[in-house]
Amino acid sequence: MPELNPSTRLPPTRQQSEAAATDAASHKAARERRAAEIRGVATIAAMRDAIKAAARALPPFTTIARCGPLDAKAFRARAMQGLPFLMEGGASHWPLAALDAQALREHYSHLPVRARVGDYVGTAFAPDRAMADMSLLAYLDLVAAGTLGLPPYLGNLELRELNRLCHWPAYFDKMGPPRFWLGPAGTVTPLHCDYDDNVFAQVWGSKRIVLAPPHHDQFLYPKEANAILFGSPFDPEAPDYERFPLARQAACVECIVQPGDMLYVPAGWYHQVRALTFSLSSNRWARALPLALRAA
């Protein structure tokens, strides 16, 4: 019997669909068990609940405190209070801060990158978000040429060649690898939360970051992307209270990060990030029990 043409193959049977769903659920459960083991918690769901409970005991969130650079001991003591804060000049001494886009062209144009293209805000937490593979030089040329709508964005990339140009303090017992974010004004990471502590360094340019507390997720219509990442369709920079009436009750506080600033975003805090100028940022997530829970 000749093989069926792919376009005429029969749809999966009910048994095949159920088996695929069971397999996916098994893989998801295994990932969550591994994530819980890494962070030293019983379950990720219990950790999320504990983070929200700790946040409910905090004072009202009305501003983001600022301070100078902190060593690891002082950072951890402050982070255990459970609130975000900004360290002015914390990354200003990095060798990467002394470079510019032209230096990237001259020394790193060959690096392979994956750009977020199209409506990457509307599909931010979808598994099939549009991406385009290219060289860093091709990306910089694409940005220079300009584009209608959302400009393409290099987000959440490992660029190991740049790691040696960043001098990260050992703020967490276990830190994930540096991630890099590069793009022109108008690039956006929409509102979401990561259930890991996060230190975000603004290397070049400036960005607007809006934050909201973990327990205000009840006002932000969250949707799970995975066990430690939740997205929100609400845009705090252009609020649509007809579609999202509960969002009126969310405490959204804005700050502007300038070159050299480092922002601590505690685990579970919602944040939205928009580039105001051509920007290069880097961040690292902890891979351990959130500091606010250690204090609790």
Side-chain angles (χ1 to χ4, degrees), residues 47-166:
M47 185 184 76
R48 294 196 305 260
D49 290 343
I51 287 170
K52 295 175 193 178
R56 291 187 185 98
L58 295 172
F61 180 53
T62 58
T63 188
I64 296 170
R66 292 173 175 262
C67 62
L70 300 175
D71 62 21
K73 183 178 179 180
F75 172 87
R76 292 179 191 182
R78 183 149 195 168
M80 284 183 182
Q81 298 174 19
L83 289 165
F85 58 88
L86 187 146
M87 295 172 283
E88 295 177 335
S92 59
H93 65 289
W94 288 6
L96 187 57
L99 303 184
D100 57 16
Q102 184 58 34
L104 293 185
R105 285 180 174 273
E106 293 175 0
H107 301 291
Y108 301 101
S109 61
H110 63 286
L111 295 182
V113 297
R114 176 164 291 180
R116 302 178 179 185
V117 295
D119 180 18
Y120 55 82
V121 171
T123 60
F125 308 105
D128 56 350
R129 175 173 56 191
M131 309 288 276
D133 293 320
M134 62 188 73
S135 68
L136 181 56
L137 178 60
Y139 173 76
L140 293 172
D141 286 343
L142 185 63
V143 168
T147 183
L148 295 176
L150 279 170
Y153 191 19
L154 300 186
N156 199 14
L157 295 185
E158 285 194 54
L159 299 174
R160 294 175 183 172
E161 291 83 353
L162 302 185
N163 289 354
R164 63 183 178 83
L165 304 176
C166 304

Side-chain angles (χ1 to χ4, degrees), residues 22-39 42 44 227:
T22 300
D23 189 53
S26 177
H27 282 294
K28 181 177 184 292
R31 288 194 301 269
E32 291 189 21
R33 286 194 298 270
R34 176 59 178 157
E37 180 183 342
I38 290 170
R39 292 157 183 83
I44 295 298

